[in-house]
Amino acid sequence: MYTSKTNFLDLAKQYASPLYVYELDQVKKRYEELKTGLNYKQLKVHYAMKANYNLHLLKYVNSLGIGIDAVSPGEIYLALKAGVAKENIIFTANNLTNEEISEAQALGVLFNLGSLSEIKRYGELFPNQKICIRVNPDVIAGSHAKIQTGGPLSKFGILLEHLNEALSICKQYNLTVIGVHKHTGSGIKDQEKYLQAVDNLLAIVTPTNFPGLEFVDFGGGLFVPYHPEEKEIDYQKFAPAVLSKLLATNKLFDRELKLYFEPGKFLIAEAGHLIIQVNTIKDNNGHLIAGTNSGFNHLARPVMYDAYHHIENLSNPNGVTKTYDIVGNICETGDNFASSRSLPEIREGDFLVIHNGGAYCYSMGSVYNLRTLPAEICTLAGAVVYHRPRQSNQDFINKLYDTY
């Protein structure tokens, strides 16, 4: 598990809380590990920006030469605003309207289409184009049922048995398939399942099916340790297994295909941290409850996925260990960051830091209960390089209804 060197307590005192902190050095570290581990000249990484759309982060990711995987027209616009070239954006939305198809097409990005309907409607609107198609690898994997994107009942991707129909539609509208994509799920611990999905994808990747193919895209889902006792990906096992399969496919095409990966969580999860402050301590017949100034509107993964996030007491790290429920300020019983968690004694006024808060935390945030989102800062080499202050309650309400 990633060990941060940032002084979160100083940042909390300087910038107040709730506060998200993103350590850009860790993003770069993970990217370089992925590149070095795979060691494939034609590797291209696209960051799944749904994980975290902080504008400064996107600019930094772009500076590293990483592309963007976008899943909505809004994400395309923001990626372009961050300076990402349209050629480095893949559009992998699902259940698109014709209006959204036309809007994204005007922006010049490559479509990655995951249903027969979308291929047909795209072809009717924009024949003679290059596209990527997303297939369902028929493997169920991921750390929670809600983030498993493969298998026969999934809404994502074209079933393998529907491939011929997809190719027929492409031929009808003269669509050239230059990429084939799969995404199996998020946080896949079982590397054998990931590799099985790779096998299932590559089984259909032949010159007969895809004569104009330029790349294969293995999506994201690379495992990130959230619990201190969890281990990182073993690249010495994973990378050679992936590359051996791709090299065999290259021989069929008599050329070196590009290899795409689309990590989101892998790049940013460990780099992010949410600092919160305890304002209420309850002792319910010996059951200790620590109430904070944040809630699941700021970090929804525990309530959505029963996800574990490591928490530290910044203000009293050497206190006597006690057991707490750490809860938020939202009017829902499920507003709970941790249950029966052992921590050094928590006092009213103490600052806590919730780790692994970089991915699918702020980006899934809301203003439920009309509570504003946290402030955000980015650090690089220990220095704060970006600060987005938190809106005041009055400014938030004024902006929310400024058209009335």
Side-chain angles (χ1 to χ4, degrees):
M1 184 175 179
Y2 169 62
T3 302
S4 172
K5 297 180 181 179
T6 298
N7 191 320
F8 295 112
L9 187 57
D10 284 352
L11 291 176
K13 292 175 179 177
Q14 182 176 355
Y15 294 96
S17 70
L19 174 69
Y20 268 109
V21 180
Y22 308 125
E23 299 176 282
L24 300 181
D25 304 85
Q26 174 63 11
V27 175
K28 182 178 181 181
K29 178 175 180 288
R30 280 294 185 226
Y31 173 52
E32 291 180 342
E33 287 174 351
L34 185 60
K35 284 199 306 179
T36 302
L38 287 166
N39 192 27
Y40 187 70
K41 184 178 179 181
Q42 294 277 44
L43 174 68
K44 177 66 176 179
V45 174
H46 292 83
Y47 167 60
M49 66 176 283
K50 61 181 176 289
N52 189 320
Y53 57 80
N54 178 279
L55 183 59
H56 192 85
L57 168 66
L58 296 179
K59 290 180 177 179
Y60 182 72
V61 163
N62 184 48
S63 75
L64 297 177
I66 302 172
I68 290 293
D69 168 45
V71 296
S72 71
E75 287 195 351
I76 299 173
Y77 282 116
L78 187 56
L80 294 171
K81 183 179 179 66
V84 182
K86 62 183 180 181
E87 294 81 11
N88 288 330
I89 300 173
I90 296 180
F91 185 41
T92 313
N94 67 98
N95 299 325
L96 287 166
T97 66
N98 286 0
E99 290 77 15
E100 289 173 321
I101 291 174
S102 296
E103 185 177 12
Q105 177 68 17
L107 298 175
V109 298
L110 178 67
F111 277 69
N112 181 22
L113 299 169
S115 73
L116 300 179
S117 169
E118 286 168 318
I119 296 175
K120 185 176 188 297
R121 288 184 287 118
Y122 180 85
E124 289 172 343
L125 291 167
F126 303 104
N128 310 311
Q129 301 294 317
K130 295 179 179 180
I131 64 167
C132 176
I133 65 170
R134 175 178 183 168
V135 301
N136 183 326
D138 198 26
V139 172
I140 300 173
S143 58
H144 191 278
K146 292 180 181 178
I147 48 178
Q148 295 167 347
T149 55
L153 302 181
S154 174
K155 73 170 185 173
F156 297 104
I158 297 167
L159 295 177
L160 296 172
E161 57 262 37
H162 293 165
L163 175 65
N164 288 338
E165 191 173 350
L167 296 178
S168 177
I169 296 170
C170 289
K171 184 177 181 180
Q172 181 182 355
Y173 295 102
N174 196 31
L175 300 175
T176 302
V177 179
I178 64 169
V180 184
H181 167 277
K182 68 89 185 165
H183 182 63
T184 314
S186 182
I188 301 173
K189 292 184 179 181
D190 188 342
Q191 291 187 24
E192 291 305 314
K193 285 194 173 182
Y194 193 100
L195 295 173
Q196 182 60 58
V198 169
D199 279 339
N200 291 356
L201 176 71
L202 293 181
I204 65 168
V205 177
T206 66
T208 301
N209 286 338
F210 306 107
L213 196 67
E214 298 177 10
F215 67 87
V216 291
D217 189 335
F218 293 156
L222 301 175
F223 176 70
V224 172
Y226 276 73
H227 195 284
E229 296 179 0
E230 289 180 324
K231 295 182 179 180
E232 299 176 357
I233 290 176
D234 184 353
Y235 284 104
Q236 291 185 339
K237 290 176 60 178
F238 175 74
V242 169
L243 290 179
S244 66
K245 298 174 188 298
L246 178 60
L247 293 176
T249 301
N250 285 345
K251 290 181 180 179
L252 295 177
F253 283 81
D254 197 26
R255 62 178 183 270
E256 192 173 68
L257 297 171
K258 297 175 184 176
L259 171 60
Y260 286 7
F261 272 94
E262 294 167 358
K265 186 184 295 183
F266 179 78
L267 290 179
I268 185 61
E270 296 160 293
H273 316 268
L274 175 61
I275 303 173
I276 60 178
Q277 190 170 25
V278 176
N279 52 52
T280 304
I281 298 290
K282 280 188 176 182
D283 186 339
N284 286 5
N285 299 316
H287 186 87
L288 298 177
I289 302 172
T292 72
N293 64 346
S294 183
F296 75 72
N297 60 322
H298 296 166
L299 196 158
R301 295 188 74 254
V303 70
M304 285 192 68
Y305 308 133
D306 300 317
Y308 175 95
H309 282 262
H310 188 56
I311 302 175
E312 292 184 275
N313 186 340
L314 299 173
S315 303
N316 190 29
N318 299 314
V320 176
T321 300
K322 297 185 177 182
T323 302
Y324 298 88
D325 287 350
I326 302 171
V327 302
N329 55 10
I330 296 299
C331 291
E332 298 279 353
T333 302
D335 185 28
N336 195 334
F337 293 123
S339 299
S340 301
R341 185 72 62 88
S342 294
L343 283 167
E345 183 182 7
I346 299 175
R347 308 156 303 184
E348 291 185 1
D350 281 358
F351 288 102
L352 310 179
V353 59
I354 304 177
H355 294 296
N356 283 76
Y360 305 102
C361 295
Y362 187 100
S363 69
M364 293 178 68
S366 74
V367 292
Y368 184 47
N369 285 190
L370 292 185
R371 291 188 175 275
T372 60
L373 288 165
E376 295 177 291
I377 65 173
C378 294
T379 66
L380 187 62
V384 174
V385 294
Y386 171 83
H387 175 219
R388 187 200 60 78
R390 187 183 185 193
Q391 271 187 308
S392 72
N393 292 315
Q394 185 67 63
D395 287 345
F396 166 60
I397 295 300
N398 289 342
K399 186 174 182 180
L400 187 65
Y401 287 108
D402 62 2
T403 58
Y404 286 80

